[in-house]
Amino acid sequence: MKSTEHSGRQQTATERRRRELLEAAERIVLRDGPDASMNAIAAEAGITKPILYRHFGDKGGLYRALAVRHTDALLANLATALDAPVLRRDRVEATLDAYLLAIEARPQVYRFLMHPSDEDTASESGFDVGRHSAPLLRRLGEELAKVITDRLDLGPGGELTARVWGHGIVGMMHGAGDWWLRERPCSREQLVTQLADLLWGQLAAVEDRAGGPGF
């Protein structure tokens, strides 16, 4: 029993330390964006770089941990928007807005997750952000596909249709959001309306699943 309790306390302490290190990494990412280095993150956390590597392995491991942390938060915000007690068109706009607001509110974090540094240090060169960001976008697409499957009556072949729509919507949000964040050609509200107009044809026509929460 004592061994189990000790193991539990040790695991809790390790998880707490990992969370503290991620919070330190986030502070550096907010400051430096894609140029955030392991050296700077270790210094912010008050540890040496080898200790940071012991927790995350390398910059890719740290990236994955931050990506999970931010994807979880984004999915929670998207779920809240999808659950809003409003008309479907308004929920679609709220969901698009939740994504765009997330990248607008923390652009340095977004750039760290989606764009490589132009000046990686020699020890960190070769960090392939695309190899890590692609799974993040796939996860968002699959999660949205599950929501569509659960809420819309798409008939025969509906699961495939839901996955196509889920990944298509995420791809559209990512592509349009990336361009918008870089160029700011219009307000966020204008972009939301335009994207919702683009999506609205099929989404306006399909029926909700009977007894479900609605999409």
Side-chain angles (χ1 to χ4, degrees):
M1 177 66 75
K2 287 184 178 180
S3 176
T4 302
E5 289 176 356
H6 175 73
S7 176
R9 285 196 301 271
Q10 189 175 39
Q11 184 176 17
T12 301
T14 300
E15 290 171 352
R16 182 170 61 250
R17 185 58 175 148
R18 184 181 173 87
R19 185 173 64 251
E20 290 169 353
L21 293 177
L22 283 174
E23 289 168 355
E26 233 173 59
R27 290 193 294 272
I28 296 302
V29 169
L30 284 169
R31 188 189 75 191
D32 298 341
D35 296 321
S37 70
M38 296 294 272
N39 279 327
I41 291 167
E44 175 69 17
I47 60 175
T48 62
K49 194 157 74 167
I51 293 176
L52 190 61
Y53 281 132
R54 193 154 62 224
H55 281 273
F56 297 104
D58 55 14
K59 192 174 183 181
L62 176 65
Y63 172 95
R64 286 189 292 274
L66 283 172
V68 168
R69 180 182 175 95
H70 284 277
T71 305
D72 286 348
L74 177 57
L75 285 169
N77 289 339
L78 295 178
T80 298
L82 285 165
D83 287 336
V86 294
L87 296 174
R88 183 185 293 179
R89 167 73 189 218
D90 293 329
R91 281 200 299 276
V92 170
E93 292 193 1
T95 303
L96 293 168
D97 192 57
Y99 176 85
L100 294 171
L101 180 59
I103 68 173
E104 181 182 40
R106 312 190 90 184
Q108 289 289 63
V109 174
Y110 170 79
R111 291 184 181 107
F112 176 82
L113 293 177
M114 293 298 176
H115 294 286
S117 169
D118 292 329
E119 298 180 359
D120 274 332
T121 62
S123 62
E124 295 169 8
S125 61
F127 175 65
D128 182 0
V129 75
R131 180 166 58 89
H132 298 293
S133 61
L136 185 159
L137 293 172
R138 282 198 296 271
R139 181 186 171 199
L140 287 174
E142 289 295 329
E143 292 295 334
L144 185 54
K146 289 176 188 174
V147 172
I148 293 170
T149 299
D150 291 342
R151 298 188 179 203
L152 294 179
D153 185 1
L154 296 174
E159 185 175 342
L160 175 60
T161 299
R163 293 187 74 193
V164 170
W165 287 12
H167 288 283
I169 291 169
V170 167
M172 182 193 73
M173 289 194 302
H174 170 61
D178 193 81
W179 161 75
W180 172 76
L181 193 64
R182 186 180 296 268
E183 297 189 13
R184 294 302 179 105
C186 61
S187 69
R188 194 177 78 243
E189 292 76 16
Q190 287 174 303
L191 182 60
V192 165
T193 299
Q194 294 278 0
L195 293 179
D197 285 344
L198 180 61
L199 287 172
W200 193 234
Q202 289 292 321
L203 279 175
V206 69
E207 296 290 333
D208 285 333
R209 282 191 179 276
F215 186 91

